[in-house]
Amino acid sequence: MTPPTSTLGVPVVSGTAAGRTSSPHGYDAGLLVLRLALGLTMAAHGAQKLFGWFGGGGLEGTGQFFTASGYPAGGAMAVVAGLTETLGGLGLALGLLTPLAGAAVLGTLVNVLAVKWGGGFFAPEGVEYEVLLTAAAAALTLTGPGRYAADRFLPGLRAHRLAYGVAAVTLGLVVAAVVLLLRK
């Protein structure tokens, strides 16, 4: 008797696909790739604001942009945004204090979306890039960093709990809303 086959002609084994179970290391590797891509991208954006690296405006140019965008004390907002992006991004890349790093990046990106909103969804005027970064920050905040992260060495964060992620997402959204209320 031959075993049942799938529509692709592959034998079907009851239980799991071909009797294999998923590897948690695969999930951890995927989270590492996502953390590195998002974290280093955000850290580079923060370095543009703080230091003028990578073609950025530095604190002066970024401060002028914030003032023109309706934020009070544009220079101070430039420092806050630059530090938040740099430190939050590096925290995500390292998997260090991931819930807080994710909340920082998420809150910053909510403000970015508020400033850029109105140009449609697609580039060059739209927000598709920012929406993707925001979703990635929220996803990492909720799922945790995986096992290939510095948080594995911190007793309180060794085992990521959904409650930490939900609390961090809430914190990021509340702080973003407060900052948006300051905007003219």
Side-chain angles (χ1 to χ4, degrees):
M1 179 169 176
T2 59
T5 58
S6 71
T7 56
L8 299 175
V10 177
V12 175
V13 178
S14 97
T16 61
R20 293 183 301 263
T21 59
S22 60
S23 165
H25 293 286
Y27 297 121
D28 296 325
L31 288 170
L32 173 63
V33 169
L34 181 58
R35 282 194 354 257
L36 287 172
L38 176 61
L40 294 177
T41 297
M42 292 306 299
H45 279 283
Q48 285 181 306
K49 290 172 180 63
L50 291 174
F51 311 115
W53 295 353
F54 314 115
L59 288 175
E60 185 176 329
T62 303
Q64 292 170 359
F65 171 79
F66 274 107
T67 300
S69 297
Y71 288 93
M77 294 302 277
V79 171
V80 169
L83 287 173
T84 302
E85 290 178 4
T86 302
L87 297 177
L90 291 175
L92 284 177
L94 294 170
L96 179 63
L97 302 174
T98 304
L100 292 177
V105 169
L106 178 67
T108 300
L109 287 166
V110 167
N111 273 269
V112 171
L113 284 169
V115 170
K116 279 196 75 177
W117 201 261
F121 182 72
F122 294 104
E125 305 292 323
V127 294
E128 65 182 316
Y129 173 67
E130 291 80 6
V131 166
L132 185 60
L133 293 177
T134 305
L140 282 172
T141 304
L142 292 169
T143 61
R147 287 188 285 183
Y148 307 141
D151 282 353
R152 294 279 295 168
F153 301 104
L154 300 176
L157 295 175
R158 185 171 292 134
H160 182 80
R161 290 173 176 69
L162 179 59
Y164 296 165
V166 171
V169 166
T170 303
L171 174 66
L173 293 175
V174 167
V175 171
V178 169
V179 171
L180 285 172
L181 288 173
L182 298 174
R183 189 172 169 228
K184 297 175 194 170

